[in-house]
Amino acid sequence: MNFGFTEEQLELQEMVREFVAKEITPIAGEMDAENATRPELFKMAADMGLLNVIVPEEYGGLGLDSVTVAMMYEELGKGCAGVATSMAANALATAPVLLAGNDEQKRMWCDILNEGGLAAFALTEPGAGSDAGGVSTRAVHDKEKKTYTLNGTKAFITNGGIADIYLVFANTRKDGGIRGLTAFIVPKGTPGFKVGRKEDKMGIRPSNTCELILDNVVIPESNRVGREGQGFRIAMQTLDSARPFVGAVSVGLAQAALDVAVAYAKERKQFGQPIASFEMIQEMVADMAMKIDAARLLVYRACAMRDEGVVFTKEAAMAKCFAADTAMEVTTNAVQIMGGYGYSKENPAEKRMRDAKIMQIYEGTNQIQRLVIANKVMY
């Protein structure tokens, strides 16, 4: 096992770190208050190649390995988990096309990302979250016209209101269920495809999250990704690939919270001495540091397994679950260490605590992750 990194990996990590420190961290609080990301950030991110990190070289991307991508997402998570989520959504939405799309679909999709475009992964619905088989959006096939007509509503879609291209899951069977779940490419501006309500969220507020409405949306047969009924497998494989990246953002979020808490503990004095000298504070800091490091290693292991092409469903679930739980615990303890100052909106600690909660919820709740892990261990 090699725990070292290449010179190229370290250079990319430092590049993202500098970008975060200069362009994201200083305005993270303002974007949180505005419930939106500054559009110029996406332009700068595109110029740096942060919007097409998983696009293979043959399709115009950098062809980065998963460990390198995780390193970059960790740095983005340190600056703002909301911005990191929007950028990581491009990888989430692209994975199904790379997994099951044909060459024409891959080139079309990747060209959009290479040009700085944003993508969205539209699976969740008002009545279908963890239960992907509950998707009720319908796709009716017209074999003569070689088209599909989509009708339904999607909910809590990251980049929903700002994406240029969408990967939408719909059911081709009247009675629903996972056997009819199918993936489709829906370009922005397709007639009948509308952006609904924008969510006013507790955390990751700079990340655009919207409802999507499909009202008789007609798309060509050529926009179907994979076969009819293959959507559930595509979605599950995609989530396996994406979960370590959620873990990476969680690790960055937690690391940033620890760094701020430690700096505060060294300066804040009580009873005539810095609170960093108190054993209770030291114990909290030690536990926070250990769990962050363990989470980081779980993330890297899952990413390395993905790159090796071996089955990593259990490891992906472990990485996401442990890292998300760690982010929630560490950010909560950071606020505790900083007391009333940490609870104030003038300090980034409370924002990180709000941001951390979603890590335990999206891309499969941590309860679902535990079911996945238990199933792989026991059966």
Side-chain angles (χ1 to χ4, degrees):
M1 298 176 70
N2 181 9
F3 290 93
F5 300 108
T6 67
E7 186 176 337
E8 182 184 12
Q9 286 176 317
L10 294 174
E11 286 176 357
L12 287 171
Q13 182 186 50
E14 183 60 28
M15 176 190 73
V16 179
R17 184 175 292 160
E18 291 177 358
F19 170 63
V20 168
K22 181 181 178 182
E23 305 293 349
I24 297 179
T25 302
I27 61 171
E30 295 175 17
M31 291 189 293
D32 179 73
E34 295 166 2
N35 195 28
T37 300
R38 304 285 172 81
E40 59 268 23
L41 278 182
F42 291 126
K43 175 65 169 62
M44 288 186 281
D47 291 341
M48 295 173 63
L50 293 176
L51 299 185
N52 63 344
V53 290
I54 71 165
V55 173
E57 290 182 358
E58 63 183 298
Y59 294 109
L62 297 176
L64 298 177
D65 62 275
S66 299
V67 173
T68 304
V69 173
M71 293 171 71
M72 297 168 79
Y73 284 156
E74 179 180 337
E75 295 304 320
L76 289 168
K78 290 177 184 178
C80 177
V83 173
T85 295
S86 283
M87 294 184 185
N90 265 19
L92 173 66
T94 301
V97 180
L98 296 179
L99 281 168
N102 57 42
D103 185 68
E104 183 180 349
Q105 291 171 337
K106 291 176 183 178
R107 291 193 182 282
M108 179 274 293
W109 187 283
C110 291
D111 283 348
I112 291 174
L113 267 60
N114 292 337
E115 293 169 5
L118 293 171
F121 178 86
L123 175 63
T124 303
E125 297 183 359
S130 297
D131 178 17
V135 166
S136 61
T137 296
R138 287 276 287 121
V140 178
H141 191 192
D142 188 324
K143 294 182 180 179
E144 291 186 7
K145 295 181 180 179
K146 295 185 177 181
T147 61
Y148 283 92
T149 301
L150 277 57
N151 282 282
T153 301
K154 296 294 179 179
F156 307 116
I157 307 303
T158 300
N159 291 348
I162 58 177
D164 300 287
I165 193 81
Y166 298 78
L167 198 288
V168 177
F169 289 86
N171 212 301
T172 55
R173 292 165 62 101
K174 288 183 180 180
D175 54 353
I178 61 174
R179 293 184 178 180
L181 198 63
T182 307
F184 299 92
I185 295 172
V186 181
K188 176 183 178 181
T190 302
F193 188 45
K194 308 168 188 175
V195 176
R197 180 171 59 105
K198 180 182 178 181
E199 298 294 337
D200 188 9
K201 307 184 299 296
M202 177 175 79
I204 60 164
R205 290 171 57 79
S207 173
N208 178 278
T209 308
C210 290
E211 174 186 61
L212 299 176
I213 300 167
L214 297 100
D215 183 12
N216 289 322
V217 174
V218 179
I219 57 172
E221 201 175 64
S222 58
N223 280 28
R224 188 189 69 221
V225 178
R227 302 186 306 274
E228 282 193 10
Q230 197 179 8
F232 183 77
R233 184 174 69 82
I234 292 171
M236 294 305 102
Q237 289 180 330
T238 294
L239 292 173
D240 279 351
S241 296
R243 281 167 180 160
F245 296 152
V246 175
V249 174
S250 300
V251 169
L253 176 59
Q255 185 66 61
L258 174 60
D259 292 344
V260 169
V262 167
Y264 177 85
K266 290 179 178 179
E267 294 180 1
R268 174 66 168 169
K269 290 185 177 181
Q270 290 286 281
F271 308 105
Q273 57 186 313
I275 64 172
S277 66
F278 300 157
E279 289 185 4
M280 281 191 174
I281 298 296
Q282 292 175 3
E283 181 181 357
M284 291 173 71
V285 167
D287 286 341
M288 293 157 78
M290 284 191 293
K291 290 183 179 180
I292 290 170
D293 212 29
R296 182 180 288 114
L297 292 172
L298 283 171
V299 167
Y300 288 165
R301 180 184 67 165
C303 288
M305 292 178 69
R306 180 181 187 270
D307 290 336
E308 291 167 7
V310 298
V311 176
F312 68 111
T313 298
K314 179 184 70 175
E315 290 76 14
M318 284 181 170
K320 190 270 184 186
C321 187
F322 189 82
D325 283 350
T326 295
M328 191 70 252
E329 180 180 339
V330 168
T331 55
T332 300
N333 284 341
V335 170
Q336 187 71 25
I337 289 171
M338 299 175 78
Y341 184 60
Y343 198 67
S344 171
K345 280 188 175 291
E346 294 180 6
N347 187 279
E350 67 87 31
K351 174 187 179 297
R352 293 192 176 105
M353 182 177 172
R354 287 187 286 108
D355 287 347
K357 187 59 199 175
I358 193 62
M359 303 297 160
Q360 296 178 306
I361 297 172
Y362 66 5
E363 296 197 30
T365 66
N366 277 12
Q367 285 72 30
I368 289 294
Q369 304 310 313
R370 286 176 166 84
L371 291 177
V372 171
I373 295 164
N375 182 66
K376 292 297 181 181
V377 170
M378 298 174 69
Y379 301 104

